[in-house]
Amino acid sequence: MKILRPIITYLLLILTAVIVFFPVVYAFLISFMSGAELLQGKFIPESFHLENYQKAFERLPLAHYLWNSFFISTVVMLGQLLVSALAAYAFVFIPFKGRHIVFFIFISTMMIPWEATMIPNFLTIQQLDWINNYQSLTIPFFAIAFGTFLLRQHFLTIPKELKEASDIAGLRSFKFFWKVVIPYCRTSFVTLGAYGFLTTWNMYLWPLLVTNNDQVRTVQIGLKQLQTQEMASEWGVVMAGVIIVIIPTLILLFLGQKQLQKGLAQGALK
Amino acid sequence: MKSTAEIQEKSINKIDLKWRFIHWRSAILYLLPSIILFSVFLFYPLGKTLYLSFFLTDQQGNANVFVGLENFQYILQAESFHKSIKATILFVLYTVPTGVIISLFLALLANEKIRGVGIFRTIYSSTMGISVAASAVVWLFIFHPSMGILNQLITSIGGTSIDWLLHPDWALVSVSITTIWMNIGFSFLILLGGLQNIDDHLYESAKISGASYFYQLRRITIPMLSPTLFFVITVSLINAFQTFGQVDILTQGGPSESTNLIVYSIYREAFVNYQFGTASAQSIFLFICILIVTILQFKFGERKVHYQ
């Protein structure tokens, strides 16, 4: 029994890992196949040539889309960190009257599904003339209740003595924030940053609505274009597009997995 | 003549008031960015959605004719909205329980303390880094009628191939499979975090008394994990109601509207048919559904949850 248990565990781990990771491996293999190979129903490509990748970049301004996605995700990430940190700071370190009510209102915004507000938001963006503009893809997403909540939970664990000591030392709020709060709560900032970047990079419905030319279009919409343009025999090119799109976020996830797991679990539970 | 104590009290009150004012002012400054953004992009549009749901609109989305509750009457009687509701409910039933059970199983496996388990954790959480569009495109090919791996496997063992995305009964199942796969990463990561937070001492005493693995699972792990499970179920439910990308890429709501989930239906009504009034009525319906689910979950779920 003692020997059997690790063997069963390993078998189950390997079996489930193969199933879960299969679609990614499948996409990777197909991205090297020509149309003829696909029609023959092959599973392993004859050679690993990069022709499909080259084609993907030729068909669409994919490099430009990648830059758009990268830029938008970075700006949203920084915006969310800043706006959430400011709000969380007020909730933890400034003893103003009614902060419980305000905090409750903040949290209750998590219950409003974003889709229920998308029609007026679209009309607002239209009126502001922000269609095909970076603003429409970034600014509406800066305020995020989840971020404020996550950071507040971590700020609360900062010992009161540290705040008192810095008050006595005459540290201004900003300096206290910069020198004490940020180093102390690094995990939460990294978690929220990674989360913000990932979700923005992967956004689909909103960019579909507010972009209608190549100017600020993101790579996710590019993928849809690629898929609708290519027919039957060109699946290799489409899968090359898929691999290009998922590599940045997969790398980010592999690097930040431990932090993300810790941070999200904390935010979820406390 | 006022006593010194009185004067002192007054000046303390004054200082107190002054501090209160300063706190208020700085709190508002810190909260202002959030408050402005929430007002412009969340509260105002929510109100506007409600407002639009009482009107007929033109193509630019301007409210033209007040019709009261007629939009709601219309959608509640329309057959296509009934189909959409039915599809959404079925979709929730297909994806939420299965997704949570699979993720829990994977989290339990990956929580075993054995060599090399880190690789498996990375693999299980990987789907969180894969976007809706990318996942849907890959699965679109997996479900491909002739070249896709699923039908190739089925025909190679002598079965007849399945019209995954083209048959009304199978299409929703196919979209559900894709969704479950996509959500595994996030649910797994949260559940693993929850498992790692359970105090090891609890298991030690169980081991000494010789309790079996499944006894420990039932008596220690599940009860201690219940807050995390509760959170994962709530998030999965809300996500299921908000599904859009998979539908847009895999089926466009078809065949014969069998996968026309509610957000896709809103999208079509508003941005393809330009019926902003009825689309807003559907949005309000979605909002109320999610509100009810959240409240019910907290009311009934919370009771069964065991907190440390």
Side-chain angles (χ1 to χ4, degrees), chain A residues 15-31:
Chain A
L15 186 73
T16 47
V18 167
I19 297 172
V20 170
F21 211 52
F22 175 76
V24 179
V25 176
Y26 192 49
F28 182 73
L29 291 173
I30 290 171
S31 73

Side-chain angles (χ1 to χ4, degrees), chain A:
Chain A
M1 190 61 202
K2 272 242 164 83
I3 319 162
L4 211 59
R5 192 166 157 194
I7 294 177
I8 294 176
T9 313
Y10 273 120
L11 277 178
L12 285 174
L13 277 169
I14 292 169
L15 186 73
T16 47
V18 167
I19 297 172
V20 170
F21 211 52
F22 175 76
V24 179
V25 176
Y26 192 49
F28 182 73
L29 291 173
I30 290 171
S31 73
F32 296 105
M33 286 193 209
S34 65
E37 279 176 83
L38 266 177
L39 283 174
Q40 287 160 20
K42 286 200 173 144
F43 184 61
I44 309 281
E46 272 159 18
S47 68
F48 285 87
H49 54 83
L50 291 172
E51 212 184 300
N52 287 332
Y53 287 83
Q54 209 183 335
K55 272 190 197 160
F57 276 101
E58 279 166 12
R59 295 278 153 81
L60 289 174
L62 211 53
H64 181 63
Y65 291 171
L66 277 168
W67 161 250
N68 283 340
S69 278
F70 178 78
F71 178 74
I72 291 164
S73 307
T74 310
V75 171
V76 170
M77 176 182 80
L78 295 176
Q80 283 183 352
L81 285 174
L82 181 73
V83 172
S84 310
L86 283 173
Y89 187 90
F91 285 128
V92 175
F93 294 110
I94 303 173
F96 64 98
K97 222 183 159 199
R99 70 169 158 175
H100 293 296
I101 298 165
V102 180
F103 184 66
F104 179 76
I105 294 171
F106 263 62
I107 292 303
S108 64
T109 62
M110 283 204 261
M111 277 200 287
I112 303 175
W114 178 84
E115 288 77 5
T117 60
M118 78 181 167
I119 295 168
N121 272 337
F122 175 76
L123 299 174
T124 308
I125 295 296
Q126 229 174 13
Q127 266 160 15
L128 290 169
D129 205 15
W130 276 5
I131 301 282
N132 292 321
N133 231 329
Y134 284 126
Q135 287 96 302
S136 61
L137 288 160
T138 50
I139 293 172
F141 301 97
F142 282 179
I144 167 179
F146 169 71
T148 309
F149 181 65
L150 190 79
L151 293 182
R152 174 187 172 266
Q153 297 310 94
H154 208 158
F155 287 6
L156 283 172
T157 64
I158 296 174
K160 280 272 176 304
E161 293 79 19
L162 272 176
K163 173 73 176 153
E164 281 159 17
S166 75
D167 280 345
I168 292 164
L171 237 60
R172 311 204 89 213
S173 293
F174 177 74
K175 234 180 172 180
F176 171 72
F177 182 75
W178 197 251
K179 296 263 169 172
V180 181
V181 176
I182 289 189
Y184 197 91
C185 299
R186 216 171 26 218
T187 346
S188 300
F189 281 99
V190 174
T191 307
L192 181 59
Y195 179 83
F197 191 94
L198 270 177
T199 45
T200 313
W201 181 274
N202 293 342
M203 212 171 8
Y204 183 76
L205 176 51
W206 186 244
L208 193 68
L209 292 180
V210 297
T211 63
N212 50 37
N213 63 29
D214 292 346
Q215 210 181 340
V216 298
R217 189 170 276 157
T218 66
V219 84
Q220 308 297 339
I221 309 305
L223 210 53
K224 182 186 158 88
Q225 275 183 295
L226 206 59
Q227 177 256 316
T228 34
Q229 266 179 21
E230 308 301 329
M231 278 293 104
S233 60
E234 292 279 28
W235 273 97
V237 180
V238 181
M239 290 304 175
V242 168
I243 297 295
I244 294 166
V245 172
I246 64 176
I247 278 178
T249 39
L250 277 186
I251 291 174
L252 183 73
L253 192 74
F254 291 161
L255 291 178
Q257 182 213 331
K258 272 212 177 107
Q259 295 249 343
L260 205 61
Q261 177 200 330
K262 243 195 262 165
L264 287 179
Q266 259 172 6
L269 296 181
K270 283 181 186 160

Side-chain angles (χ1 to χ4, degrees), chain B residues 90-248:
Chain B
L90 271 178
F91 179 75
V92 167
L93 292 177
Y94 287 167
T95 54
V96 178
T98 330
V100 173
I101 288 169
I102 292 174
S103 311
L104 177 63
F105 175 69
L106 295 178
L108 286 169
L109 270 180
N111 196 35
E112 293 286 314
K113 287 167 190 67
I114 51 177
R115 258 166 164 267
V117 80
I119 300 169
F120 295 102
R121 287 181 186 167
T122 309
I123 288 179
Y124 297 150
S125 56
S126 66
T127 71
M128 194 185 159
I130 299 171
S131 66
V132 184
S135 312
V137 168
V138 175
W139 281 91
L140 183 65
F141 189 72
I142 292 177
F143 292 129
H144 192 282
S146 58
M147 292 188 288
I149 186 93
L150 280 178
N151 275 351
Q152 278 191 4
L153 277 178
I154 290 170
T155 48
S156 73
I157 56 166
T160 44
S161 51
I162 296 172
D163 284 334
W164 292 101
L165 297 169
L166 302 172
H167 193 284
D169 292 336
W170 280 106
L172 193 63
V173 175
S174 308
V175 176
S176 303
I177 294 173
T178 310
T179 310
I180 291 169
W181 181 77
M182 282 169 43
N183 292 342
I184 282 177
F186 178 78
S187 307
F188 163 78
L189 215 54
I190 301 284
L191 287 171
L192 182 65
L195 284 175
Q196 288 176 341
N197 272 346
I198 299 176
D199 201 340
D200 276 336
H201 294 299
L202 290 171
Y203 292 105
E204 274 161 26
S205 47
K207 262 178 206 150
I208 292 166
S209 58
S212 74
Y213 178 78
F214 289 101
Y215 185 83
Q216 288 179 39
L217 185 69
R218 207 156 44 92
R219 285 302 167 92
I220 303 172
T221 313
I222 300 294
M224 295 309 282
L225 195 64
S226 52
T228 320
L229 269 173
F230 176 66
F231 173 77
V232 168
I233 292 170
T234 312
V235 172
S236 307
L237 261 174
I238 293 176
N239 274 346
F241 275 112
Q242 294 174 308
T243 300
F244 174 82
Q246 304 92 299
V247 178
D248 188 46

